[in-house]
Amino acid sequence: MNGRLTSAQPYALGLFRMVVGLLFACHGAASLLGLFGGKDGNGGTVAAGAWPNWYAAVIELVGGTLVLLGLATRAAAFIASGAMAYAYFKVHQPQALWPIENHGEGAAMYCWAMFLLVFTGSGAFGLDRLLARRASAREDRPAEQTPVAA
């Protein structure tokens, strides 16, 4: 049983990455574009350039999309994890000590989920893997030799 679970690990990680990336991107789309009810439930958006909400929404939308696609996963997840740590400690933690009390469960979970992806990478189904495979296939091919005509 252990062997089967271990062999399925890249696929489970890839699915985990895709779900986390999609949900994270949806938060950004709600805040920036007013989708899914918007930031206030009435289709509202954050003001362009407003600190820190607009910047957080951009990180959520762009970072979540990159994580979903598995493209530059480690870098996108690192930035997203830092943004969620900032959100937790600046917005939620001053209200109360525990995430359940300060409504910071989402920020804490996203912070740690993205932090995990920094170390694990994209897993299966990611564009990172596809691009790396293509690059290594190009390197493995012998260079074409053209005869030198005198």
Side-chain angles (χ1 to χ4, degrees):
M1 174 134 155
N2 228 6
R4 285 185 185 168
L5 290 174
T6 300
S7 66
Q9 186 175 353
Y11 304 104
L13 182 60
L15 291 172
F16 172 79
R17 171 191 48 79
M18 290 165 44
V19 169
V20 168
L22 176 65
L23 295 174
F24 200 64
C26 285
H27 275 276
S31 296
L32 281 178
L33 309 173
L35 300 175
F36 314 114
K39 75 171 187 93
D40 57 2
N42 295 317
T45 60
V46 295
W51 177 258
N53 297 342
W54 186 82
Y55 295 93
V58 169
I59 290 170
E60 289 169 354
L61 182 59
V62 174
T65 302
L66 289 172
V67 168
L68 169 64
L69 297 173
L71 186 60
T73 303
R74 292 177 193 258
F78 181 76
I79 293 167
S81 178
M84 290 298 98
Y86 178 87
Y88 181 77
F89 286 110
K90 288 297 274 186
V91 176
H92 298 285
Q93 200 277 327
Q95 296 174 15
L97 177 62
W98 296 102
I100 194 74
E101 294 175 324
N102 63 32
H103 306 287
E105 303 99 326
M109 286 295 286
Y110 279 123
C111 177
W112 286 103
M114 293 295 187
F115 194 62
L116 176 67
L117 290 172
V118 171
F119 292 95
T120 61
S122 63
F125 316 120
L127 292 179
D128 285 342
R129 268 192 159 178
L130 179 67
L131 295 174
R133 210 176 301 139
R134 284 189 180 175
S136 69
R138 265 189 253 125
E139 291 172 2
D140 291 346
R141 265 189 267 146
E144 292 185 28
Q145 296 179 356
T146 55
V148 177

